[in-house]
Amino acid sequence: MSDEKNFEEKDEKEMMKHDEKVEENDKLSSITWAFILMWAGTVFLANNMGWFSLVGIDVDPNWSFQSFGDWRSSFGVWNLIALGAGAILVLETIARLLIPQFRRNVGGSLIVAAVFIGVGLGGWFNWQYLWPVILIAVGVNILIKGLFSKRKDREE
């Protein structure tokens, strides 16, 4: 029994060291935020240069944020930036799930991505449905974490 306990403690210590290394050298997070900033810069540049109208995309050129009350048939620049940031965060989450050295809890990232995408879609996505879905997602995340976490008090 003591060999099994020593093995579990050693395994837990190795996991903690791995988690600390990942947090210190989390290049994926840096890459994600770099892509979000580059996306924002690209959207602002495309708006200023009139590139959206050249390709037939109707984007409000006033850099305004389109909320539910003033939603028109066009996206605002900030809506487009939020939509892209949400998509980039979803891609980061997928990469974290697929690449073992970058694995960590992704529940928070998914919730932030859902909010960004909801903001980006503005009037097309109704907040009265988004907030309950976010609360359900948080609850499911807490439930899964609670059920599958390794806790010392369970083992004793």
Side-chain angles (χ1 to χ4, degrees):
M1 191 71 155
S2 65
D3 289 336
E4 186 177 315
K5 189 173 181 178
N6 289 337
F7 179 74
E8 288 177 3
E9 287 177 4
K10 182 180 176 186
D11 189 38
E12 188 174 329
K13 287 179 185 178
E14 287 178 16
M15 293 279 287
M16 289 175 66
K17 285 181 184 178
H18 172 73
D19 290 345
E20 288 172 4
K21 279 184 184 179
V22 168
E23 288 177 12
E24 288 175 5
N25 301 321
D26 191 6
K27 293 179 183 173
L28 187 59
S29 182
S30 298
I31 291 169
T32 299
W33 285 104
F35 273 114
I36 289 173
L37 289 173
M38 289 187 298
W39 171 253
T42 302
V43 170
F44 284 132
L45 181 63
N47 182 54
N48 291 341
M49 301 294 288
W51 295 342
F52 290 124
S53 60
L54 290 176
V55 294
I57 300 173
D58 189 21
V59 175
D60 186 3
N62 296 323
W63 285 27
S64 62
F65 177 77
Q66 305 295 331
S67 65
F68 299 114
D70 61 0
W71 182 261
R72 292 170 255 170
S73 61
S74 67
F75 277 110
V77 173
W78 286 106
N79 294 85
L80 200 54
I81 289 170
L83 187 61
I88 292 167
L89 286 171
V90 168
L91 292 175
E92 176 196 15
T93 301
I94 292 169
R96 286 199 183 284
L97 294 173
L98 295 176
I99 303 170
Q101 57 264 41
F102 292 118
R103 256 191 211 136
R104 69 176 190 201
N105 187 3
V106 294
S109 295
L110 282 176
I111 292 168
V112 171
V115 169
F116 276 147
I117 290 171
V119 167
L121 293 176
W124 290 349
F125 199 80
N126 196 338
W127 281 96
Q128 75 184 35
Y129 300 116
L130 178 64
W131 288 115
V133 170
I134 289 174
L135 289 174
I136 291 168
V138 169
V140 168
N141 184 38
I142 292 170
L143 178 66
I144 290 172
K145 215 173 170 183
L147 290 175
F148 295 109
S149 68
K150 293 182 180 179
R151 297 173 78 188
K152 288 183 180 181
D153 56 333
R154 279 193 212 163
E155 295 172 2
E156 293 175 355

